[in-house]
Amino acid sequence: DVYLRWCDDCHKINLWSYWQGSLDARIMVVGQDWGCPEESPVMDNIRAINDGREDTYHVDPTSLTDQNLCKLLASIGFPADKNNPDLFFANLALGYRNKGLTGGFRQSWIRECEPFFRRLVDIVDPEVIICLGRSVFVGATRAMGKRIRVGKYNDFIESSENPVEIDGRLFFAEAHCGYFGTINRARDREENGMELQLTDWKRIKC
């Protein structure tokens, strides 16, 4: 079975926070969860940062998610290829798979982490929270005390209901920018999935 555990090499709230982790961030980007650390190519970089041998997170050139996220954030004026004091990244599910990088996801992982996410939002106090994927958007807004009804996610992304304001912060529902999220964003559409996401992100103002 796939289950979540902690990663002893993670000295921050989340491994993704090594990439962007400013506590004065204006924008928080929230993903779903992380795979098994032992199977991830970034762990040598993480350990080097922990040991003081390196001070920069290496954006994975082979990761479509990483490359697309950089492109999307740059499009709204917040480049992420280097450390940016306006950005904070974290996953909603804060544990790590015991095996595998994908698959076997359980909604209970998000529910169990929602109280910690709310505390994280209070600490960082961002103006904008970008939620990558339906489960993340529903879970993040629920953690903040809102139950949002979402029908077809692609329709919701384009609707006037997006973003949702909670306690003065704007929560944006966006597609996940990895392979499957980008494919699904363009389902039944003639446009390219990445082009649609770039259009979606134009709404994000901060």
Side-chain angles (χ1 to χ4, degrees):
D1 287 349
V2 178
Y3 59 86
L4 292 188
R5 58 180 176 80
W6 188 241
C7 171
D8 291 336
D9 287 316
C10 184
H11 299 173
K12 297 181 181 289
I13 185 67
N14 188 239
L15 284 174
W16 217 20
S17 304
Y18 278 84
W19 182 356
Q20 299 290 347
S22 171
L23 294 179
D24 293 317
R26 297 168 63 194
I27 293 180
M28 179 182 287
V29 179
V30 187
Q32 182 173 277
D33 67 302
W34 191 280
C36 177
E38 285 74 18
E39 299 178 33
S40 173
V42 306
M43 291 311 298
D44 287 342
N45 180 209
I46 297 295
R47 296 184 187 101
I49 293 173
N50 289 341
D51 294 342
R53 292 180 283 116
E54 295 182 3
D55 58 8
T56 303
Y57 181 92
H58 300 164
V59 180
D60 186 356
T62 67
S63 169
L64 182 64
T65 297
D66 289 5
Q67 297 306 310
N68 283 348
L69 184 57
C70 283
K71 185 182 296 185
L72 290 164
L73 282 165
S75 76
I76 60 170
F78 292 87
D81 54 330
K82 296 180 181 178
N83 185 266
N84 189 324
D86 288 321
L87 296 175
F88 189 99
F89 293 176
N91 286 306
L92 194 51
L94 294 171
Y96 304 88
R97 283 181 172 84
N98 63 312
K99 60 182 179 181
L101 296 176
T102 60
F105 176 76
R106 300 177 184 176
Q107 290 293 334
S108 60
W109 296 348
I110 284 181
R111 288 186 175 273
E112 289 164 359
C113 292
E114 285 174 12
F116 302 103
F117 176 74
R118 183 175 186 120
R119 289 171 61 188
L120 179 63
V121 170
D122 287 342
I123 291 168
V124 180
D125 193 24
E127 299 170 31
V128 165
I129 298 174
I130 302 172
C131 302
L132 302 180
R134 181 192 187 108
S135 293
V136 173
F137 176 74
V138 171
T141 51
R142 184 174 58 218
M144 304 304 292
K146 286 275 191 178
R147 291 188 175 271
I148 310 298
R149 294 177 64 90
V150 177
K152 291 183 178 180
Y153 191 57
N154 282 344
D155 291 345
F156 186 87
I157 289 172
E158 297 180 359
S159 75
S160 60
E161 299 176 70
N162 186 28
V164 172
E165 183 175 346
I166 305 174
D167 298 333
R169 305 181 184 99
L170 295 177
F171 285 70
F172 283 86
E174 302 296 350
H176 191 281
C177 53
Y179 176 78
F180 290 109
T182 301
I183 292 293
N184 288 334
R185 181 65 188 92
R187 183 177 294 173
D188 301 323
R189 300 284 291 270
E190 294 183 0
E191 298 98 321
N192 174 278
M194 192 58 193
E195 291 174 354
L196 283 169
Q197 290 184 75
L198 286 165
T199 298
D200 297 336
W201 282 55
K202 285 181 179 179
R203 293 187 181 195
I204 301 174
K205 307 293 183 185
C206 186

